[in-house]
Amino acid sequence: MLTKKQLIEFSDEARKNYLDHISIDCVVFGFHEGQMKVLLLQPHDEKKWLLPGGFVMKREPIEQAANRILKERTGLDKIFLQQFYVFGDPDRAKFHSDLYKDTLPDHENWFSNRFLSIGYYALVDFFGVVPQPDQFSETCTWRDLDDMPELLLDHEQIFKTALDALRLQLNHQPIGYNLMPREFTMPELQKLYEAILGKKLDRRNFQRRILGFGILNRAEQPRKGGAHKAPYLYSFDLENYQNALTEGFRGGW
Amino acid sequence: MLTKKQLIEFSDEARKNYLDHISIDCVVFGFHEGQMKVLLLQPHDEKKWLLPGGFVMKREPIEQAANRILKERTGLDKIFLQQFYVFGDPDRAKFHSDLYKDTLPDHENWFSNRFLSIGYYALVDFFGVVPQPDQFSETCTWRDLDDMPELLLDHEQIFKTALDALRLQLNHQPIGYNLMPREFTMPELQKLYEAILGKKLDRRNFQRRILGFGILNRAEQPRKGGAHKAPYLYSFDLENYQNALTEGFRGGW
């Protein structure tokens, strides 16, 4: 929790630099070798956690704001970012108002304003990323999806909406570039899909469907090694991948 | 164009009632018997046109604001509304600033503020809808998609983004309830899809795919009439339709 002096300072600074009523919340999905995690922050003196977020500067495009916020937390640039929903319940920021009700009246506390939050999700390889807490937080860390703590505000809803949007995206857009090594086997790619969907997939159906999208190239030589039957290696066909990102997969109407 | 007095009055009223920096723009797609139109407004003394839009009241949920705006223009309630994107370019409202630069300085003109616009699209049967212009507009009318006038601001981009989102939706969600009569033939439903996609579809593929979604019931008796071969009648299976709306079609991963 901030002191009264800090809260006044932050409110003054925020009024000067940021657009009123608008915030950004990011659901950063991290992947590595079939594991899936999400980036969370624990505020000072709080048991519950928050998604990384921030505000939009007066003259800043919103995509740029989302990129800036993610860079501050992860050090990463040029992350795949997808706007997925705006959360606009009038009471969603009641938490901040309640938290500081004995410190500062609502009209002086910028954070107790009504905020519409624009949700972005991002997909990154969490290997090598050292998360940085913001000034309001004790820690910033990757958490397993099956070990999620309780979240503050409406961040549980934001997280779930992002996961639904990501799963839906698997049906009409490619995924995996920047998350997989340059060459990978079919079971390695299947693990990525299984992590996102939270369920096992049939090996043959997966292979048939993913090859049908036309975004993979198969290397001529199978992977070398001691295995009895060496698996084939695949890489993304970046031109087809990019087309599918903008136009959706073939097989639409 | 507003007079200086009107602009001051509207600015004062807006500051009192609406959230700063946030607007809503609606792309209302209208359908009837295979035709597709979009609802547009022509502001007073302007050649170009605008999408219907408005602002969010201080304590109003954003979905409610979008519904209120649509009701004001169309008289319709409980419209299918889908949030699809937020348009946040810092210069998108330059038009308002330029329009009134000789009338009122920017800091007094509420409309020359930066606005992030939340885009919603809606699907309605345009038959029987009498569009109502807002106070800034000369006319409000349905325009054919192949007879679109030039649009002001970034409304061309908003319109195109909405059309892309709607076309994408056809791949994973059902469409047509409230747009089709209670019972319809397969060619009638195909015409709706063709209007949205802007292209002809193969009759057999359409039938196979749409039946595969499991959202249609076929009536036992073909339509009566003089035709040599009477067509079968279909209606939506509302339970499956509703499930598919929330969960997406079977046949995902």
Side-chain angles (χ1 to χ4, degrees), chain B residues 166 173 205 249:
Chain B
L166 172 61
Q173 283 188 319
N205 286 343
F249 284 131

Side-chain angles (χ1 to χ4, degrees), chain A residues 100-147:
Chain A
Y100 291 110
K101 68 177 188 298
D102 299 327
T103 312
L104 207 63
D106 271 356
H107 67 276
E108 291 183 44
N109 176 4
W110 190 74
F111 299 92
S112 68
N113 264 310
R114 177 175 175 190
F115 283 95
L116 270 58
S117 197
I118 307 172
Y120 282 86
Y121 67 81
L123 307 176
V124 307
D125 184 337
F126 64 73
F127 185 77
V129 173
V130 184
Q132 298 296 327
D134 62 20
Q135 56 198 340
F136 308 108
S137 304
E138 195 68 34
T139 47
C140 179
T141 188
W142 294 105
R143 296 286 300 241
D144 281 335
L145 256 70
D146 52 11
D147 179 35

Side-chain angles (χ1 to χ4, degrees), chain B residues 212-227:
Chain B
F213 290 158
I215 53 163
L216 295 178
N217 291 324
R218 195 175 83 173
E220 284 185 26
Q221 296 298 322
R223 178 179 282 178
K224 281 168 186 143

Side-chain angles (χ1 to χ4, degrees), chain B residues 138-154:
Chain B
E138 195 67 36
T139 46
C140 180
T141 188
W142 295 105
R143 296 285 299 241
D144 282 334
L145 256 70
D146 52 12
D147 178 35
M148 287 279 287
E150 263 195 276
L151 302 182
L152 285 164
L153 295 157
D154 56 354

Side-chain angles (χ1 to χ4, degrees), chain B residues 230-244:
Chain B
Y232 277 103
L233 287 173
Y234 295 86
S235 59
F236 288 113
D237 181 318
L238 289 189
E239 197 182 325
N240 288 355
Y241 190 99
Q242 199 54 46
N243 287 342

Side-chain angles (χ1 to χ4, degrees), chain A residues 19-22 56-63 83-91 114 116 118 120 167-168 170-172 193 197 199 201 205-206 209-210 213 247-248 251-253, chain B residues 19-22 56-63 83-91 114 116 118 120 167-168 170-172 193 197 199 201 205-206 209-210 213 247-248 251-253:
Chain A
L19 289 179
D20 286 331
H21 304 305
I22 295 157
V56 181
M57 291 197 279
K58 303 237 178 201
R59 292 279 312 153
E60 188 180 35
I62 50 176
E63 280 72 24
Q83 202 197 85
F84 66 96
Y85 205 70
V86 183
F87 298 84
D89 188 287
D91 290 318
R114 177 175 175 190
L116 270 58
I118 307 172
Y120 282 86
R167 286 173 176 173
L168 199 58
L170 293 189
N171 292 323
H172 56 77
Y193 276 73
L197 292 164
K199 64 179 181 188
L201 298 172
N205 286 343
F206 178 79
R209 186 149 183 209
I210 203 95
F213 290 157
E247 290 165 28
W253 290 96
Chain B
L19 288 179
D20 284 332
H21 304 306
I22 294 157
V56 181
M57 292 197 278
K58 303 236 179 203
R59 293 280 310 152
E60 188 181 35
I62 50 176
E63 280 72 26
Q83 203 197 85
F84 66 94
Y85 205 71
V86 183
F87 298 85
D89 188 288
D91 291 319
R114 177 176 175 191
L116 270 57
I118 307 172
Y120 282 85
R167 287 173 176 173
L168 198 58
L170 293 189
N171 291 323
H172 56 79
Y193 277 72
L197 292 163
K199 66 178 182 189
L201 299 172
N205 286 343
F206 177 78
R209 186 149 183 209
I210 202 94
F213 290 158
E247 291 165 29
W253 289 95

